């Protein structure tokens, strides 16, 4: 087998004697073998980078016989075999023909009938003509000898019958370059300190750098992130601090127990939550006194509550999971706020928000994913009331372009009172749900160490629904996952939440908050 050096020498010596290589298909090794295409192009690229040669690509189509086509070229077509099997005088029984020719009998009969070479006579086949010309065999032989056929219609027919297949052949026309030579001079790839010191850089030949090609594109912001940025601007404008949300794996303690959600709650079922197998648990909890207070308020109550009246188990709290809501982050931040208040000796009001992914064991369809984004806001201050929550919700949704909202009482394990948020849609002529809200329970806050007069209001909504509406998507799987259209990501403009957007937002399905 010819090496790269052999092929290189052959190309250079051929150019030196002939001046040009019209087609590299003409190049043969010393033993007369054809040189593989990939071996030729590798050598050509190497020589062209040194400006020793120049080359252009020659592309052409060639038609090759399939195995069936080769059999036809060697022994005749199926229809010819059928004709030859029919006795000129007595014909042949159809059953006998099948035994004699096998699969060729069934394939060839139809074509022989169409050519009017044979006909049926009772249960026999008899000849209609004395002799035939096997044009199919002649066509196959022409393709074998020339790599094509003089009649395009015949080629198309033989392709349809799986007798031939088209392949693309690539070869090259090669000419001498400005630095053509029979001997290849070694080129330097870098300018070194030694070359500068001894002056050898002046006579050294350097390998050229290839600056050709399209410049790489910058990254493109996903539509979800564009809408997320608009929400962030609203929160920042209202003086909120963004919570760290990069902890996707959370313990059941922070995701459920710290929020005063009972250990028997349906949300903790494996059908609703993704639990981890390895590692399955974690005992990385805050101080033991806080964990004990959480256990006490669940089992026996406290802070004005009678609790749930069950035996709270640390083993359940240790289970690791993919967080089901970003409220697990809020519980962490509120606990830190309690610790900072204790260390400082005085309470400082706080406003927190987060927008990030959460995970639910949902069946994936056009409107549901097993992962989605939650937008959550939290305000902690002394003596806050339900009126403060309602007033702030009106300001927040007004900035989203959603005026005219109202509230409906609801139940959440960790907020009391709790409210679903609705807005009137004039087109549908009904109130539709936007999100959820409430005031965190004393059983949650006071167990953390916050003073009884510190109240926390919170609300949440989804990110996917407004993004789908803004960018005209009907299937949530076109927004996340393997069905995402990259052109949609690259070409869509930045998001602007306005009143028109808000009216469209409330016209869709209720948001999973």
């Amino acid at each position: 087998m010819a090496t790269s050096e052999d092929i290189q020498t052959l190309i250079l010596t051929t150019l030196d004697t002939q001046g040009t290589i019209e087609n590299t298909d003409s190049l043969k090794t010393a033993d007369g073998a054809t040189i593989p295409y990939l071996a030729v192009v590798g050598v050509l690229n190497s020589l062209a980078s040194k400006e020793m040669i120049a080359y252009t690509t020659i592309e052409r189509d060639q038609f090759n016989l399939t195995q069936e086509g080769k059999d036809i070229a060697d022994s005749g077509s199926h229809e010819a075999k059928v004709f030859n099997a029919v006795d000129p005088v007595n014909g042949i029984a159809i059953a006998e023909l099948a035994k004699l020719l096998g699969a060729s009998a069934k394939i060839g009969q139809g074509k022989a009938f169409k050519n009017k070479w044979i006909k049926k006579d009772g249960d026999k086949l008899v000849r209609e003509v004395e002799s035939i010309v096997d044009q199919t065999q002649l066509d196959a032989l022409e393709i074998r000898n020339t790599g094509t056929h003089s009649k395009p219609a015949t080629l198309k027919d033989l392709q349809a019958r799986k007798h031939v297949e088209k392949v693309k052949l690539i070869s090259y026309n090669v000419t001498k370059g400005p630095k053509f030579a029979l001997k290849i001079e070694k080129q330097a790839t870098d300018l070194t300190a030694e070359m500068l010191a001894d002056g050898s850089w002046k006579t050294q030949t350097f390998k050229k750098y290839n600056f050709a090609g399209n410049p790489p594109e910058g990254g493109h912001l996903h539509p979800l992130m564009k809408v997320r940025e608009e929400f962030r601007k609203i929160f920042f404008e209202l003086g909120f601090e963004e919570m760290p949300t990069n902890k996707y794996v959370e313990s059941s303690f922070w995701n459920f127990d710290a929020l005063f959600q009972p250990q028997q709650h349906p949300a903790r079922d494996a059908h609703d939550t993704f639990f981890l197998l390895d590692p399955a648990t974690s005992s990385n909890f805050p101080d033991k006194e806080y964990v004990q207070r959480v256990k006490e308020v669940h089992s026996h109550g406290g802070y004005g509550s009678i609790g749930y009246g069950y035996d709270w188990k640390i083993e359940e709290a240790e289970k690791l999971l993919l967080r089901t809501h970003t409220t697990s982050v809020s519980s962490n931040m509120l606990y830190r706020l309690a610790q900072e208040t204790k260390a400082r000796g005085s309470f400082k009001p706080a406003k927190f928000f987060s927008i990030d992914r959460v995970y639910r064991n949902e069946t994936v369809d056009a409107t549901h994913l097993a992962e989605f984004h939650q937008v959550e806001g939290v305000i902690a201050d002394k003596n806050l009331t339900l009126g403060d929550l309602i007033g702030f919700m009106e300001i927040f949704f007004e900035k989203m372009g959603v005026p005219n909202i109202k509230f409906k009482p609801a139940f959440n394990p960790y907020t009391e009172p709790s409210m679903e948020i609705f807005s009137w849609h004039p087109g549908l002529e009904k109130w539709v749900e936007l999100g959820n809200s409430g005031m965190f329970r004393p059983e949650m806050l006071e167990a953390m160490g916050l003073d009884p007069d510190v109240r926390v209001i919170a609300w949440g909504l989804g990110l996917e629904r407004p993004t789908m509406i803004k960018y005209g998507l009907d299937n949530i799987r076109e927004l996340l996952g393997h069905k995402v259209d990259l052109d949609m990501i690259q070409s869509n403009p930045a998001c602007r939440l306005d009143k028109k957007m808000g009216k469209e937002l409330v016209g869709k399905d209720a948001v999973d908050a």
Side-chain angles (χ1 to χ4, degrees):
M1 183 177 178
T3 65
S4 296
E5 290 75 13
D6 295 334
I7 299 170
Q8 189 171 267
T9 302
L10 176 61
I11 290 173
L12 292 176
T13 54
T14 304
L15 283 175
D16 187 49
T17 56
Q18 298 180 6
T20 183
I21 300 173
E22 295 295 335
N23 194 315
T24 51
D25 280 349
S26 64
L27 295 175
K28 305 292 180 182
T29 61
D31 56 1
T34 301
I35 301 173
Y37 149 74
L38 290 176
V40 171
V41 72
V43 172
L44 291 178
N45 284 329
S46 176
L47 294 173
S49 69
K50 301 176 177 65
E51 299 185 43
M52 296 177 68
I53 60 108
Y55 70 91
T56 55
T57 303
I58 302 171
E59 292 187 4
R60 69 185 189 281
D61 292 331
Q62 178 173 297
F63 293 86
N64 294 336
L65 294 175
T66 62
Q67 185 57 51
E68 186 176 0
K70 292 175 182 177
D71 293 340
I72 290 170
D74 292 335
S75 57
S77 65
H78 300 295
E79 56 267 30
K81 290 178 181 178
V82 169
F83 178 83
N84 293 330
V86 176
D87 185 271
V89 178
N90 300 316
I92 189 172
I94 296 175
E96 186 65 26
L97 180 69
K99 291 180 182 179
L100 182 65
L101 297 182
S104 288
K106 185 176 181 179
I107 298 171
Q109 280 183 62
K111 193 71 174 177
F113 280 127
K114 185 178 180 181
N115 293 343
K116 295 184 178 180
W117 293 351
I118 61 173
K119 65 180 180 180
K120 285 187 71 174
D121 183 10
D123 61 351
K124 297 194 304 181
L125 297 175
V126 296
R127 292 186 178 185
E128 279 201 88
V129 295
E130 293 183 3
S131 62
I132 62 169
V133 174
D134 190 357
Q135 188 60 47
T136 302
Q137 184 182 31
L138 296 176
D139 292 335
L141 289 170
E142 181 179 345
I143 291 170
R144 171 184 280 177
N145 295 330
T146 65
T148 186
H149 197 281
S150 56
K151 296 179 180 179
T154 300
L155 271 177
K156 187 175 181 180
D157 178 61
L158 292 176
Q159 279 185 279
R161 295 175 68 182
K162 309 296 184 184
H163 294 169
V164 301
E165 58 187 2
K166 184 170 73 172
V167 295
K168 187 177 288 294
L169 298 181
I170 299 176
S171 56
Y172 303 94
N173 174 271
V174 188
T175 57
K176 293 180 180 180
K179 296 184 180 179
F180 177 80
L182 288 174
K183 183 179 179 181
I184 298 176
E185 183 179 356
K186 186 177 180 180
Q187 296 176 319
T189 56
D190 294 298
L191 179 65
T192 65
E194 290 76 9
M195 292 179 188
L196 293 173
D198 61 20
S200 61
W201 64 271
K202 297 177 182 178
T203 56
Q204 179 67 55
T205 301
F206 289 93
K207 185 175 182 179
K208 294 182 68 175
Y209 284 93
N210 182 10
F211 295 104
N214 296 324
E217 290 189 8
H220 297 276
L221 202 60
H222 192 283
L224 268 174
M225 297 300 99
K226 296 173 184 176
V227 176
R228 177 179 181 271
E229 190 60 28
E230 278 295 293
F231 276 113
R232 291 179 77 240
K233 288 179 182 177
I234 293 174
F235 279 114
F236 287 136
E237 183 181 339
L238 295 171
F240 279 73
E241 174 189 346
E242 189 166 17
M243 293 185 277
T245 55
N246 57 351
K247 192 176 182 182
Y248 298 102
V249 173
E250 191 57 90
S251 68
S252 292
F253 179 84
W254 286 116
N255 197 82
F256 295 124
D257 296 277
L259 296 172
F260 194 58
Q261 190 159 318
Q263 293 185 339
Q264 302 90 349
H265 195 279
R268 298 203 191 197
D269 193 278
H271 292 291
D272 295 294
T273 300
F274 290 111
F275 287 97
L276 271 64
L277 292 177
D278 186 18
T281 61
S282 171
S283 57
N284 185 21
F285 291 150
D287 62 88
K288 294 181 179 179
E289 290 79 7
Y290 173 46
V291 175
Q292 184 60 37
R293 290 195 297 271
V294 169
K295 176 179 180 179
E296 185 68 22
V297 75
H298 275 255
S299 302
H300 307 293
Y303 317 109
S305 169
I306 63 171
Y308 292 113
Y310 70 94
D311 185 18
W312 185 87
K313 298 182 182 300
I314 189 67
E315 293 80 11
E316 286 294 322
E318 289 176 342
K319 290 181 179 179
L320 289 174
L321 49 81
L322 294 179
R323 66 182 180 210
T324 63
H325 49 191
T326 52
T327 316
S328 62
V329 181
S330 301
S331 63
N332 265 281
M333 293 299 290
L334 291 172
Y335 173 73
R336 292 185 196 177
L337 180 63
Q339 298 302 103
E340 291 171 2
T341 300
K342 181 179 178 181
R344 190 170 47 241
S346 61
F347 173 76
K348 183 179 178 182
K351 295 179 181 179
F352 301 126
F353 82 93
S354 65
I355 309 172
D356 212 333
R357 294 193 182 194
V358 296
Y359 306 87
R360 307 271 177 90
N361 198 350
E362 297 268 12
T363 300
V364 175
D365 56 30
T367 57
H368 295 85
L369 289 175
E371 58 178 310
F372 55 93
H373 290 75
Q374 185 174 330
V375 181
E376 180 165 337
V378 175
I379 300 177
D381 204 349
K382 290 190 176 182
N383 302 316
L384 289 175
T385 66
L386 190 63
D388 293 304
L389 175 59
I390 293 173
F392 192 84
M393 289 298 91
E394 290 174 345
I395 295 172
F396 180 81
F397 284 100
E398 178 71 33
K399 287 185 175 293
M400 279 181 56
V402 184
N404 195 20
I405 62 173
K406 75 172 185 179
F407 304 89
K408 173 186 174 182
F411 171 77
N412 286 318
Y414 43 87
T415 58
E416 177 61 35
S418 307
M419 302 182 300
E420 292 173 343
I421 309 162
F422 291 79
S423 181
W424 176 257
H425 187 276
L428 298 177
E429 295 187 348
K430 67 176 183 179
W431 294 90
V432 292
E433 185 183 352
L434 294 180
N436 216 325
S437 66
M439 301 185 68
F440 282 128
R441 299 178 67 102
E443 296 96 322
M444 169 187 165
L445 300 178
E446 293 185 42
M448 291 178 172
L450 289 168
D451 292 338
D453 58 349
V454 173
R455 312 285 170 77
V456 178
I457 59 177
W459 68 100
L461 66 152
L463 184 65
E464 280 73 11
R465 174 57 61 189
T467 303
M468 290 171 66
I469 297 164
K470 180 68 180 178
Y471 293 101
L473 302 175
D474 295 324
N475 192 329
I476 195 170
R477 290 170 290 189
E478 296 175 8
L479 194 63
L480 285 173
H482 66 283
K483 292 188 177 182
V484 170
D485 181 2
L486 295 180
D487 183 63
M488 177 269 293
I489 294 176
Q490 296 169 3
S491 60
N492 272 315
C495 169
R496 289 294 301 275
L497 296 179
D498 50 30
K499 290 190 176 182
K500 181 179 179 182
M501 168 67 184
K503 290 177 181 178
E504 292 173 345
L505 169 62
V506 299
K508 298 294 181 180
D509 298 336
V511 175
D512 186 358

